[in-house]
Amino acid sequence: MTSPLPASVLDLAPVVPVVVIEDASDAVPLARALVTGGLPAIEVTLRTPTALDAIRAIAAEVPEAVVGAGTVITPEQVTASVTAGARFLVSPGWTDVLLEAMRVSGVPFLPGVSTTSEVVGLLERGVTEMKFFPAQAAGGTAYLKSLAGPLPQARFCPTGGIGPGNAPEYLALPNVGCVGGTWMLPADAIAARDWARVEQLAREAARLRNGSGAQV
């Protein structure tokens, strides 16, 4: 049975793994390891030729996962991702053309921002949930704290430079719903197909909200 989506993509899990899949045969076991570890939302980035095949495989074979497409930058990618089975979309930035394509796609989306003007631009267009990227380079938690005062209606998924050491600090902010990261997917574990290690790292990541240690 396919996992239902909550009202917001930001409420799927405290951490969204940002996955780059080079070999499509890794997609299903990797997704199963992440889901078993407590991270059901999986962002497969469109950075490799196998990304759409990976999304298709996860959507078909791991129904308890909520698979999305990341690094979406064109309307054509929006269409291809949703056709492949993506249930949410994430972009590193936005234009009006891309925003409209995501809006009419029928699935939730997180357009990327890194400046106050971009946030205000999205709020003007009725979008309140965004990706903050690249989070650490763009000002990190201090920047997000500064935005919370004048723009409390905006909520974010910060991604970029986030790991287990600083994720709880982000997750404690009132305008952060979740964070994106790759630390539960170390390159050597993927190369060795050590899915047990991925599952354990996912389990640890799933306990990070507010540093409480509570399993989601």
Side-chain angles (χ1 to χ4, degrees):
M1 181 178 177
T2 301
S3 296
L5 279 173
S8 167
V9 175
L10 298 181
D11 297 327
L12 284 167
V15 178
V16 177
V18 180
V19 181
V20 179
I21 295 181
E22 302 286 351
D23 186 338
S25 67
D26 290 339
V28 168
L30 185 152
R32 286 177 176 151
L34 292 172
V35 170
T36 302
L39 300 180
I42 301 170
E43 177 189 334
V44 177
T45 67
L46 302 184
R47 301 180 191 176
T48 67
T50 61
L52 291 174
D53 287 337
I55 291 171
R56 195 173 292 111
I58 295 170
E61 299 184 46
V62 193
E64 53 285 30
V66 180
V67 63
T71 322
V72 177
I73 58 174
T74 69
E76 293 76 17
Q77 288 178 328
V78 170
T79 301
S81 298
V82 174
T83 300
R87 299 176 65 196
F88 65 93
L89 305 169
V90 184
S91 69
W94 66 276
T95 65
D96 280 321
V97 171
L98 179 60
L99 190 66
E100 181 60 19
M102 292 193 291
R103 195 191 297 273
V104 302
S105 70
V107 301
F109 57 91
L110 296 174
V113 297
S114 60
T115 70
T116 306
S117 293
E118 290 169 326
V119 175
V120 171
L122 286 176
L123 292 175
E124 281 185 350
R125 291 159 174 80
V127 178
T128 59
E129 298 185 346
M130 313 164 195
K131 171 179 178 174
F132 180 54
F133 175 82
Q136 282 293 96
T141 55
Y143 194 91
L144 288 171
K145 286 177 184 176
S146 297
L147 290 180
L151 303 171
Q153 64 272 53
R155 293 181 73 214
F156 302 95
C157 173
T159 304
I162 297 176
N166 60 1
E169 185 180 355
Y170 279 95
L171 291 168
L173 297 177
N175 56 352
V176 169
C178 62
V179 299
T182 62
W183 72 87
M184 71 297 299
L185 301 160
D188 58 339
I190 302 302
R193 292 179 167 81
D194 186 352
W195 309 126
R197 183 178 172 203
V198 171
E199 179 183 333
Q200 179 56 38
L201 291 170
R203 197 175 305 280
E204 294 168 4
R207 298 188 180 109
L208 286 175
R209 177 165 308 274
N210 296 333
S212 67
Q215 180 70 47
V216 294

